[in-house]
Amino acid sequence: MLLVLSLVLVPNGIYKSLATRPSVVNIGSILRFNSTIGGVSVVAIHAALEDINSDSTILNGTTLRVDMKDTNCDDGFLGMVEALQFMETDVIAIIGPQCSTIAHIISFVANELQVPLMSFASDATLSSIQFPFFVRTYPSDLYQMDAVAAIVDYYRWKLVTAIYLDDDYGRNGIAALDDALTLRRCKISYKVGFPSNAKKSDLINLLVSVSYMESRVIILHTGAGPGLKIFSLANQLNMMGNGYVWIATDWLSAYLDANSSVPAETIYGMQGVLTLRPHIPNSKMKSNLISKWSRVSKMYNYSDLLTSSYGFYVYDSVWAVARALDAFFDDGGKISFSNDSRLRDEAGGTLHLEAMSVFDMGDNLLEKIKKVNFTGVSGQVQFTAAGDLIHPAYDIISIIGNGMRTVGYWSNYSRLLSTVLPEVLYSKPPNSSLANQHLYDVIWPGETAQKPRGWVFPSNAKELKIGVPNRFSFKEIVTKDNVTGSMKGYCIDVFTQALALLPYPVTYKFVPFGSGTENPQYDKLIQMVEDNEFDAAIGDITITMSRALTADFTQPFIESGLVILAPVKNHITTSWAFLQPFTLQMWCVTGLFFLIVGVVVWVLEHRINDEFRGTPREQIMTIFWFSFSTLFFAQKENTMSTLGRGVLIIWLFVVLIIQSSYTASLTSILTVQQLDISIRGIDDLKSSDYPIGFQVGSFAEEYMVKELNISRSRLRALGSPEEYADALKRGPKKGGVSAIVDERPYVELFLSTYCKIAIAGSDFTSRGWGFAFPRDSPLQVDLSTAILSLSENGELQRIHDKWLRTSECTDDTTEFVDSNQLRLESFWGLFLICGVACVIALLIYFVTIICKYQGHEHPGEPMAPQGPRRHSIRRFISFLRKFCSFLDGKEPEPVKNKRSLSLSRGSMPTRPVSSNLAALDIERPVRPVRNGNVIDIEN
């Protein structure tokens, strides 16, 4: 009674307050009762209220009640007024609205009144950033359009036509689709909207205009009423047959799921249509709701409606509010409203703005709503920071027979199409590889399992204007026939043969590009295609990176790598041909290393190996003999030191590599016809300063300047084969060029006539010729397939032989000429390794010798006092003589006590030697005397 008195006595209801745990809590709902979605939502809300109010664990005795308001979605003004009138009631949260137009208006009001808006409007532009109290309880169209774009991209369609309802829902949905398609390099080629009250004649005109477009992939984003009209009229216009693709958004699945008695003609008029449905995982809660649905729907006069995805999401929306309220009350939240002084009518106004009250703790309830986390009938109910449900996913459905068949799924978790349930993917790491995409087979309109091409040349299409280079030189490639005025050549035949393989007619006309007195600039031709001055360009158009950025090219129909043309003369084989495998520098370094290795081994072996001792003449001969005998691995001197053996092993490996390379190169010189040439490859071309020729209009000019960093001043433009031959004949010293860089097809034609010129080296680029089309042209894809077919059936080679067959001169002049001499650059690594090994061995050796020499001197003898400078020089010279004498001396053999010492080879028995070895004069070299297999050392 106190509560009632306070409400009555407080003037104008300035403060309206309820107890912390009131017995009844009111929330609102704005729906359109006479629509399929609205009717399903009404039943879902009552089913949720029944379950919540019967559950003692929720709200602790507080009864949740929903006040529903019917609004007119077709008339935006009336719907807005009705929604504003409903906002005069004191509700703490609102379920709905379902219409995007009204949702936009009510979102502004909800922000002002601080009332959380639990909306299932899918309009992508409704955002919690602009509307903080807006909470989306249904997947946004951003995700749905991403799924549609994934389907389009999966089937490799590039162009689509969009038909949409011309309101916020339709326009914003198509805008989201356009963005999603752009990310996949697809696009909407034609889009057309219509009002919700469009007449039948207007819809027929709309469909006729769509039929004139080239795209046959049609995206239908409307409501159930207008969408069904579109399908019915499309059937009458034969637009649901073979070749068409229809993709309807989730409105169609919602209609078919909710209506138990869809007319048979309606279902059969949509055969092959694809549609999407928000994915609802199977669960016990879902089964319980479906089982009680019939009973609840009869109670509220919606017995003809079944549940749909909207029903599941609305049911969970009410539960989310209930759980949030429970947490709100647990934290001491109170339900109270206050008036906003800014909401006042002007004098005489009748809007009653002052009746709208602000929910004082609305922001606290909103925070609790965004923190809910439970498993509902629609799956996991949890909101992101942006106010959207987590893990949105869709079923991809095909209309077939009298029902629907799921052909796959799309989830925002992986952003891919898959036949695996989304809830299974959530337990695995996300895999975004396009190779993992898969859908089950689809029966398309026209009852065909073959994937539609997705586009055709429309019946009213204009004639294609195709630019063709009017060449001055190499007219076998493409040129204009001066007699008939038509275009002919190799490229023309390839294009016409490929066009003949297309399953549809293409009307076109060739437009010559260029005067015919010189070769045209191909970059300008591609620019005209980009500017839509030409619908395509065919000819000897090289596919380069810069051109591929502005136009789409077909599959290359011929390889056209850049090669170098240079003058040649016959090679004369002389009696000194055996010197040709190595350059002079290579010969000098190799010979020098033979001597270096010989000297190093002699130094390492001299004191311990008698085979490296003797008179100076004998030792010099030993060095030369040992060094050069390693070339044939025929050295007879044995190495005894570890350092000497290590150096020798490395050197023998180097000799093996050099010997094998020399043999291979000499064999090539003596058995293969050789041509002498001044330019032997791209490296010689870059390092020289001579002029270089290129064909007028060719991309080779920019390639040499930008990629090879060759000065533009060195380049000479040449316009014909005759200019090629004359420039090469005159050479750089007489105003000509040293070489010409051009593409291989031109070079092969040129060499069939001019035999004293050859290709230097090999192709140093990998390019190809293709036909150019505007970006995302579907004709480019079909022509690429046709060119591959020509290649597989041999027709492409036949056309090549018809126009580009070369004469016998080619066999004598198109040898690949390259440097047959082996250069030092190829072996410097081996020589470096060997040189380092020698230096290290000598360092170790001399350190060891110095230590031995110091031990050889009397360590206890005091040093003589320093005398005059001349005496110091004499002492130093004396030291050098002693040290050199020590180096030249024979290292003493190790003495073994009480044992016979014998030196033998192999395992032959030895004769005892006198043990009086201590009497040997180790300062004097001792020469062993051979006695058969035994070496006696005499006193």
Side-chain angles (χ1 to χ4, degrees), residues 778-799:
L779 187 58
Q780 171 260 337
V781 178
D782 288 352
L783 269 182
S784 294
T785 304
I787 290 173
L788 289 175
S789 299
L790 291 178
S791 177
E792 292 175 356
N793 61 26
E795 184 65 19
L796 199 60
Q797 184 62 42
R798 188 195 64 79
I799 299 173

Side-chain angles (χ1 to χ4, degrees), residues 88-211:
E88 296 177 4
T89 61
D90 292 336
V91 292
I92 61 171
I94 295 177
I95 307 297
Q98 69 187 69
C99 306
S100 296
T101 304
I102 298 177
H104 278 277
I105 300 299
I106 297 302
S107 293
F108 285 103
V109 180
N111 283 352
E112 187 67 29
L113 303 183
Q114 298 185 14
V115 177
L117 192 65
M118 310 292 286
S119 177
F120 41 92
S122 61
D123 187 349
T125 61
L126 287 168
S127 169
S128 60
I129 298 176
Q130 181 182 8
F131 307 114
F133 282 83
F134 176 84
V135 180
R136 194 192 307 274
T137 61
Y138 188 84
S140 168
D141 277 344
L142 284 175
Y143 305 114
Q144 179 174 208
M145 295 310 173
D146 203 359
V148 172
I151 297 173
V152 173
D153 185 48
Y154 175 76
Y155 289 109
R156 298 185 180 181
W157 298 316
K158 292 298 182 182
L159 303 177
V160 302
T161 296
I163 302 176
Y164 60 94
L165 196 62
D166 194 9
D167 58 6
D168 290 342
Y169 162 76
R171 286 190 300 271
N172 296 332
I174 294 303
L177 175 62
D178 200 4
D179 293 340
L181 289 172
T182 301
L183 292 176
R184 292 170 170 82
R185 289 199 61 188
C186 306
K187 69 176 183 179
I188 301 176
S189 61
Y190 181 65
K191 51 187 173 183
V192 55
F194 63 93
S196 58
N197 59 352
K199 298 179 181 179
K200 179 179 178 180
S201 59
D202 296 332
L203 295 179
I204 291 177
N205 293 334
L206 179 149
L207 290 174
V208 170
S209 67
V210 169
S211 68

Side-chain angles (χ1 to χ4, degrees), residues 473-538:
S473 61
F474 300 109
K475 295 186 176 182
E476 298 89 342
I477 304 294
V478 61
T479 191
K480 180 180 179 181
D481 191 332
N482 294 327
V483 178
T484 62
S486 61
M487 305 302 295
K488 64 178 183 178
Y490 167 71
C491 297
I492 300 298
D493 281 6
V494 172
F495 176 75
T496 55
Q497 289 297 320
L499 214 58
L501 295 179
L502 300 184
Y504 47 84
V506 179
T507 57
Y508 62 91
K509 66 175 180 179
F510 292 138
V511 179
F513 175 72
S515 62
T517 57
E518 64 176 2
N519 296 331
Q521 295 293 328
Y522 286 73
D523 288 338
K524 293 182 180 179
L525 178 60
I526 300 301
Q527 184 63 42
M528 295 180 70
V529 173
E530 182 186 9
D531 297 339
N532 294 322
E533 295 183 42
F534 287 135
D535 298 310
I538 70 168

Side-chain angles (χ1 to χ4, degrees), residues 816-845:
F816 289 112
V817 179
D818 204 348
S819 176
N820 292 298
Q821 286 188 313
L822 300 175
R823 305 187 181 193
L824 179 61
E825 290 82 357
S826 303
F827 299 93
W828 71 267
L830 289 174
F831 288 127
L832 178 62
I833 294 172
C834 185
V836 170
C838 291
V839 171
I840 293 175
L842 289 176
L843 289 175
I844 296 174
Y845 175 76

Side-chain angles (χ1 to χ4, degrees), residues 312-355:
F312 296 131
Y313 282 106
V314 172
Y315 180 89
D316 284 344
S317 299
V318 181
W319 267 96
V321 173
R323 291 179 180 272
L325 277 172
D326 195 41
F328 174 76
F329 291 142
D330 288 342
D331 286 351
K334 296 181 180 180
I335 298 177
S336 61
F337 298 88
S338 61
N339 288 342
D340 190 340
S341 59
R342 295 174 299 173
L343 299 176
R344 297 286 181 181
D345 285 346
E346 296 294 335
T350 59
L351 289 178
H352 305 292
L353 295 178
E354 67 277 2

Side-chain angles (χ1 to χ4, degrees), residues 882-918:
K882 289 181 180 181
F883 185 70
C884 292
S885 177
F886 179 78
L887 287 177
D888 188 55
K890 177 73 167 64
E891 186 171 320
E893 298 289 342
V895 179
K896 295 184 179 180
N897 191 23
K898 296 181 182 181
R899 285 185 179 270
S900 297
L901 180 62
S902 63
L903 299 177
S904 62
R905 293 183 179 179
S907 59
M908 298 297 293
T910 60
R911 183 175 60 192
V913 182
S914 173
S915 62
N916 191 18
L917 296 177

